[in-house]
Amino acid sequence: MRRLAGFVLAVCLLLAGGPASGQVKDILGKPAPDFTGAAPFGPPVSIAQFRGKVPVVVTFWSIYCATCLDEMAALQRLFAKYGPGKVAVVAVNEDADVGVERVKAFLDRFASSPQGKFSYPILFDAKGGVLRAYGVSRLPTLVFVDRDGTVREFIEGFEPGRETAVLSAIEKLIAAVTPESLQGVESEVVYDLSTEAPLCGTYRDGKWYRPLDLDETRQDVVARARAEGEEALRREAVRLALLQLGVSLHSDERSTGCRAGYGVELRSQYRRKDALDRFAEKMNLPRVIGVEAQETIERDRDLSLYRQIRVHLPALREQLEQGGYSVRRSEIRIRFARATHFEEHNFVEALYSEYPFLSSVRRVTSELRGRDEYVLVSHATPEKAVESMRGMNVGARQLSVELVGGTIAEVSMWR
């Protein structure tokens, strides 16, 4: 499934120093600057001609921006579904530096590809006047103009998985629902994710020969690689969806792989559980995520896995609330009242592996006390955070954590 680009994060940077955010805000809620398209791509088209008739989606793009083409393909599906009687789509090309003939040749080749031909107007911004009028600094950028000619949305950049949510929002606006933020109405996101999972075994002359464990078959090895790959993709989908809700749980960088040589019982590298793992293992996965499409390619040495994973955001938020998580982050100063340097280190390591609400932790030096302290950023209230820290396993030590002054966790450790 091709993804609709252009929502929230910028990927293709057009100008080294674009307009300030205030310029972008200036256009919202105001009449859309009018423009008329150049001739090489058909008859001239202006924004004014749609005023009072249909809403207009304007997308700014370049032939060198792959995500721009993903967005244009998704808009083509939207345009084909509703037709020119309900919505107008105008694509403004920003490749003046290579010339209109180069862009025209690109579109001719694109028309013969599986994506097909764009049936909505494509305009060539020969002098960059349209770009400047709209304050565009990144590609792709999508601008939504309502029937009255007022700019309702200005969305820059690209973030995977937003096609379903954004198209649904645009469709509501097309249907004359009261204008609302496109970012605020989404109920689900869809992520296109892929990974490589190696097939662990013995190789001879460059070819897979046998499993590491002689009691297994190649089918067993393939099944294990598939399971590890799918787990990694589910984890990534959960991480991205949490970010969509504003929750950034700490997650270690990891990859699938063969971590042990022949003759060693354990075939996979030991991985400590991080905050993302601890949240995911308590989730009701069937309620939150589902696989929309999938493909697995088996090669001699590895598997290539592709999964299109849908995440239901209201259910995910519900899981957060049930687990005691807060969408808002809080900061707590961790101060050790009684602990050796080794015990302090052990406590911080336990935060990474056992504290479920962790976003980040950083060390700071208290000049007043002459020793290290730590700033804990987490998705829990200070009271919930302290309660959770008291239950951490810090080895053969007694542990006391007390909340003082509202935002300071005073930690004592002893044998």
Side-chain angles (χ1 to χ4, degrees):
M1 178 179 180
R2 293 184 291 270
R3 298 168 291 182
L4 178 60
F7 309 97
V8 178
L9 297 180
V11 170
C12 298
L13 184 60
L14 177 63
L15 301 175
S21 59
Q23 290 177 268
V24 172
K25 292 179 182 177
D26 286 346
I27 201 173
L28 291 173
K30 294 184 178 179
D34 196 19
F35 60 83
T36 300
F41 302 115
V45 177
S46 68
I47 291 293
Q49 76 183 70
F50 301 110
R51 191 167 299 150
K53 300 176 183 177
V54 294
V56 186
V57 178
V58 182
T59 179
F60 292 82
W61 69 287
S62 164
I63 64 175
Y64 302 103
C65 171
T67 56
C68 297
L69 296 172
D70 289 339
E71 176 176 284
M72 291 172 68
L75 290 175
Q76 173 60 39
R77 294 194 291 276
L78 180 80
F79 187 66
K81 178 178 179 180
Y82 285 96
K86 287 196 173 181
V87 64
V89 178
V90 180
V92 181
N93 178 266
E94 298 298 339
D95 288 310
D97 55 338
V98 296
V100 67
E101 293 304 321
R102 174 70 181 90
V103 178
K104 195 164 186 276
F106 174 86
L107 288 172
D108 288 341
R109 289 198 305 273
F110 194 83
S112 61
S113 69
Q115 290 93 331
K117 185 178 181 180
F118 300 123
S119 59
Y120 49 76
I122 297 178
L123 311 180
F124 184 70
D125 192 11
K127 297 182 179 179
V130 183
L131 177 139
R132 290 189 293 273
Y134 279 77
V136 174
S137 63
R138 291 165 175 155
L139 298 180
T141 287
L142 181 145
V143 180
F144 186 89
V145 183
D146 67 14
R147 287 179 178 81
D148 297 329
T150 302
V151 175
R152 293 297 181 186
E153 282 298 335
F154 189 105
I155 306 176
E156 301 175 302
F158 169 73
E159 181 181 341
R162 309 242 349 199
E163 177 178 346
T164 301
V166 175
L167 287 183
S168 174
I170 291 177
E171 288 175 347
K172 288 184 179 181
L173 289 168
I174 290 173
V177 176
T178 302
E180 51 189 302
S181 169
L182 299 186
Q183 290 99 331
V185 300
E186 59 202 57
S187 64
E188 62 180 28
V189 287
V190 180
Y191 299 106
D192 290 327
L193 302 172
S194 62
T195 190
E196 305 294 323
L199 299 178
C200 303
T202 303
Y203 291 84
R204 180 175 296 171
D205 298 327
K207 293 186 178 181
W208 198 90
Y209 179 62
R210 67 184 185 187
L212 291 174
D213 191 334
L214 298 182
D215 292 334
E216 291 185 333
T217 65
R218 179 178 172 89
Q219 287 72 26
D220 296 326
V221 175
V222 171
R224 181 188 293 115
R226 183 193 299 268
E228 289 184 358
E230 289 179 339
E231 180 183 0
L233 295 180
R234 286 194 299 269
R235 170 185 161 90
E236 178 65 6
V238 171
R239 185 187 72 83
L240 292 171
L242 287 172
L243 288 175
Q244 191 86 15
L245 298 178
V247 176
S248 55
L249 293 179
H250 172 75
S251 58
D252 294 322
E253 295 246 350
R254 61 180 62 171
S255 60
T256 56
C258 304
R259 308 299 184 185
Y262 178 69
V264 181
E265 182 179 354
L266 297 177
R267 305 305 185 198
S268 298
Q269 182 184 40
Y270 168 74
R271 298 187 180 106
R272 70 181 182 186
K273 292 182 179 179
D274 54 29
L276 181 59
D277 290 326
R278 293 194 172 276
F279 172 73
E281 69 183 6
K282 294 182 180 180
M283 281 176 52
N284 185 342
L285 283 176
R287 288 201 60 212
V288 177
I289 69 175
V291 178
E292 298 286 296
Q294 60 179 308
E295 183 177 356
T296 302
I297 299 174
E298 179 181 340
R299 302 186 184 89
D300 191 50
R301 287 179 174 267
D302 58 33
L303 295 182
S304 180
L305 295 93
Y306 160 76
R307 300 291 184 268
Q308 186 181 88
I309 299 178
R310 172 184 47 77
V311 183
H312 188 55
L313 293 179
L316 182 62
R317 185 183 291 274
E318 180 183 291
Q319 299 286 313
L320 285 166
E321 294 173 353
Q322 291 177 353
Y325 292 81
S326 170
V327 174
R328 295 183 60 184
R329 290 185 292 182
S330 61
E331 288 193 2
I332 297 179
R333 189 93 165 192
I334 297 177
R335 185 173 296 164
F336 291 92
R338 178 183 177 186
T340 65
H341 287 297
F342 172 76
E343 289 168 339
E344 290 181 11
H345 173 78
N346 196 30
F347 181 87
V348 174
E349 286 300 303
L351 286 175
Y352 282 108
S353 60
E354 296 195 32
Y355 181 67
F357 310 108
L358 179 64
S359 180
S360 66
V361 58
R362 68 180 185 273
R363 182 172 59 185
V364 295
T365 299
S366 171
E367 296 182 1
L368 178 63
R369 294 173 179 80
R371 62 182 302 174
D372 289 340
E373 298 179 353
Y374 294 85
V375 176
L376 173 69
V377 182
S378 67
H379 288 279
T381 63
E383 293 76 15
K384 186 73 175 178
V386 167
E387 177 187 348
S388 178
M389 285 187 281
R390 287 171 181 160
M392 295 192 313
N393 180 5
V394 292
R397 297 312 195 263
Q398 298 294 320
L399 173 65
S400 170
V401 185
E402 300 297 331
L403 186 64
V404 296
T407 59
I408 298 174
E410 191 174 81
V411 179
S412 296
M413 300 175 67
W414 68 94
R415 284 185 178 274

